[in-house]
Amino acid sequence: MKIAVDAAGGDFQPENPVKGAIQAVNENAHISVCLVGPEAPVRKELEGLDYPEDRLTVHDAPEIIGMDESPAQAVKTKTRSSIVVGLGMHQKGMVNGFVSAGNTGALMAASAFILGRLDGIIRPTIATFFPTIKGQGLMIDAGANLEVKPEMLFQFGIMGKIFASDIMGIETPRVGLLNVGEEKEKGSETLKKAHQLLEALPSFVGNIEGRDILAGNADVFVCDGITGNILLKFGESIPEALQTLLFAAMKKNQIDGEQKKLVGGLLKEAFAPFDYQAVGGVPFLGVNGISMVGHGGSSPEAIKNMIVNAARMAEIDINKKIITSIA
Amino acid sequence: MKIAVDAAGGDFQPENPVKGAIQAVNENAHISVCLVGPEAPVRKELEGLDYPEDRLTVHDAPEIIGMDESPAQAVKTKTRSSIVVGLGMHQKGMVNGFVSAGNTGALMAASAFILGRLDGIIRPTIATFFPTIKGQGLMIDAGANLEVKPEMLFQFGIMGKIFASDIMGIETPRVGLLNVGEEKEKGSETLKKAHQLLEALPSFVGNIEGRDILAGNADVFVCDGITGNILLKFGESIPEALQTLLFAAMKKNQIDGEQKKLVGGLLKEAFAPFDYQAVGGVPFLGVNGISMVGHGGSSPEAIKNMIVNAARMAEIDINKKIITSIA
């Protein structure tokens, strides 16, 4: 399995992509990585590091797409950027997948444009991991599709279920439709129709409400991209907000020293599932290829996890499973 | 100011409505309350309690609308229920407002049907308090309008701003539009158009993202009823979920006894703003009257707060302000 890695993507490039790639090849004998980015700085970063040279190569892509650039514009004009070059290599069959911690919008646009849609898929989607008290869940869509049709939500459910079982290792994922009430007649016309369609899936557990997410009452949370994106960012903000509230309570009660350290440590441990930098990347599903994107602040560990997951998606041929299920 | 209180609403009726009403009249010389519900059990609950009889009366309404009844059906058939009778009294001018901890859907349907819409309002809405690290915010809509037009979101912003300043006491409320990005060109067509309309308000701070809610980067969070309802219930679930995670971390680290008690106490204090039973009720805005609904589990204190807020809304003639601002 050969995965192309965006060496120019993220807030800590090329350092973190290079280190993540090295970890991935050193720990996984079946994985090769091609680092795609401006060659000189990437080679400089590699200097003195220990890795199998036959499984870690560099492919020059001198242009850089910034984190704040307009996605469509960047993809169109920067044809020698790591994102366009890397996805092009994947489209030509030179690599089995592409991962990046770069500009999500650009990666999404380029993935849809360069790789194209899978047969039968109305719209590609982006899924995101979402922590629950029972383990990681998957929210789908996380911001790619702001306006959805019932049939799209149905397809999100199918794709999410496959990713949850085959990549996340959840044995029998429960697919829930985010809604304002449990009863099937609740919600907008779109949600009611989506509910009817989803009932055809054995994994569908019905409507779930906002309170069911953290409680882990489903594994796959199906929603439109507005709801998913707002919930995703809301979830990411919980640890800091609650740390602020808890530390204020400690200050008020004059708790400091060892006890403060104790509480801080417990908080850190309790909030570990919310650490989006550690989770790795999230997949674009429904494109004709393997494409994953990580948070801009992704650690080398996160990038390694993305590479491993991309390799696994390619190995099991997740897209073939999706096409079969959709058909 | 005379407020009708649903004595048959909520999980602890008639006890909590009766006790909340007594607290309200005992603490506020300018407030009178009329308890609306089945007369015998209400009078029994009042026995032996101390209150000014001239400011606390009972009006018989023998039928009860259950928490799970179909709203439209219940309102149509149970014309002698506390909700229909109480709102009818308000509509006839016998009282200045109506508060209930009962079936939200039924109260919403009955408020719109019996009181009617305010002049110029496209759709009445339900707002809800939302805790932030800077104090209480207001989310509007919280589940009344699942499908919205830009003009409706604009009106939610206006009504939310008036409620935040005049009832919540926020000096210069910042109105934000919940969206997937800060830039004005982000979001669905509805959100883009709503952004343009909201720009006419001096209090509008632009788009806000999911991460801005708990951080308190706005005071009024404008959104459709699906997003608002899911976020509301998600928010309510945070304390329990994080208590589970923190207690698991303590167990793993063999922390118990005094230290466990300390952490538990801090959590309780830090999460106090999330205690939806203490906040009181939330308003229906845009109806031609004053109507508030509280959580089914509302404490006497919460019901008292609702009564006081309803009286204040009537005193300042909030609906006149809304009509003027909308026009």
Side-chain angles (χ1 to χ4, degrees), chain B residues 121-171:
Chain B
I121 291 293
I122 305 167
R123 289 281 172 81
T125 176
I126 182 168
T128 187
F129 298 104
F130 208 99
T132 80
I133 59 168
K134 295 181 185 161
Q136 285 292 348
L138 186 76
M139 188 161 280
I140 183 169
D141 182 292
N145 296 286
L146 306 185
E147 278 156 292
V148 297
K149 291 188 177 13
E151 293 74 16
M152 288 164 64
L153 292 170
F154 172 62
Q155 294 191 343
F156 297 168
I158 292 177
M159 292 190 275
K161 190 251 161 192
I162 292 173
F163 187 83
S165 64
D166 292 9
I167 304 299
M168 296 169 73
I170 300 171
E171 212 167 309

Side-chain angles (χ1 to χ4, degrees), chain A residues 180 209 233 242 253 269, chain B residues 180 209 233 242 253 262 269:
Chain A
V180 298
E209 298 182 68
K233 290 171 181 168
L242 292 188
N253 292 283
E269 190 171 331
Chain B
V180 299
E209 300 183 68
K233 290 171 181 168
L242 292 188
N253 292 284
L262 169 80
E269 190 171 333

Side-chain angles (χ1 to χ4, degrees), chain A residues 77-188:
Chain A
T77 56
K78 295 196 168 168
T79 52
R80 296 174 72 211
S81 62
S82 51
I83 288 178
V84 176
V85 171
L87 284 166
M89 290 167 68
H90 181 28
Q91 193 269 329
K92 287 185 203 93
M94 294 158 65
V95 293
N96 301 97
F98 181 69
V99 308
S100 171
N103 183 316
T104 304
L107 196 65
M108 202 153 62
S111 297
F113 184 67
I114 297 169
L115 302 176
R117 262 180 266 172
L118 276 184
D119 270 357
I121 291 294
I122 305 166
R123 289 282 171 80
T125 177
I126 182 167
T128 187
F129 297 103
F130 209 100
T132 80
I133 59 169
K134 294 182 185 160
Q136 286 291 349
L138 187 76
M139 189 162 279
I140 182 167
D141 180 295
N145 296 286
L146 306 185
E147 278 155 292
V148 298
K149 291 188 176 16
E151 293 75 15
M152 288 164 66
L153 292 170
F154 172 63
Q155 293 192 345
F156 296 168
I158 292 177
M159 291 190 275
K161 189 252 161 192
I162 293 172
F163 187 85
S165 64
D166 292 10
I167 304 300
M168 296 170 73
I170 300 171
E171 213 167 310
T172 47
R174 297 156 299 160
V175 176
L177 177 66
L178 265 175
N179 203 331
V180 298
E182 286 179 9
E183 305 82 356
K184 62 192 286 182
E185 64 276 7
K186 287 273 170 147
S188 60

